[in-house]
Amino acid sequence: MTPSTLLLTFGLAVAPMAAVAAEATPVTRAFGNTVVSTYPDGRTALLWLKKDGTYTAKGRRRTASNGSWSLNSDKVCLKQAKPVAVLFRYCTELPSGESWRAKAVTGEPITVKIVKGVAS
């Protein structure tokens, strides 16, 4: 697995708690939509959060992955289960506005936005 794939491939194992906690947070905007992260080289990674606390993703090289997500204070955290289980989680700020700046797990600056519907 490449570091760029890791951006979308981490979270906490307590998935049902994530779904309950998400009821009153900005993360609900992502349900049924696509979270698109754009890297400095112009490539994009795609993330689909589900209400049940799971996610699926495609890294910027279109490598598929999945796992669970949770909320930790003002951040959403991802933990990858497949294709390889990862022992740590990646946390990033919750959505704010139409698009926002963040850092990939690699430290690269990215721009994140939620696109209506399920893009591929």
Side-chain angles (χ1 to χ4, degrees):
M1 175 183 342
T2 63
S4 63
T5 304
L6 294 176
L7 166 67
L8 298 176
T9 56
F10 302 96
L12 184 64
V14 188
M17 291 176 62
V20 172
E23 293 297 324
T25 67
V27 77
T28 57
R29 289 184 19 211
F31 299 152
N33 296 311
T34 304
V35 179
V36 179
S37 299
T38 304
Y39 287 77
D41 64 6
R43 291 188 288 176
T44 58
L46 308 173
L47 171 69
W48 300 276
L49 297 176
K50 298 176 188 166
K51 289 181 184 181
D52 68 358
T54 63
Y55 76 85
T56 56
K58 288 185 183 178
R60 61 181 165 173
R61 292 182 181 89
R62 293 304 180 250
T63 304
S65 62
N66 65 53
S68 59
W69 66 270
S70 66
L71 295 176
N72 182 1
S73 186
D74 60 345
K75 296 182 179 191
V76 61
C77 299
L78 306 167
K79 182 169 174 105
Q80 179 174 304
K82 292 182 180 177
V84 176
V86 178
L87 298 177
F88 63 94
R89 62 186 178 153
Y90 166 76
C91 298
T92 188
E93 300 294 322
L94 286 170
S96 60
E98 293 300 311
S99 68
W100 61 98
R101 306 290 273 152
K103 289 206 182 242
V105 72
T106 59
E108 294 173 275
I110 55 174
T111 302
V112 184
K113 66 181 176 179
I114 297 175
V115 176
K116 191 170 186 151
V118 180
S120 55

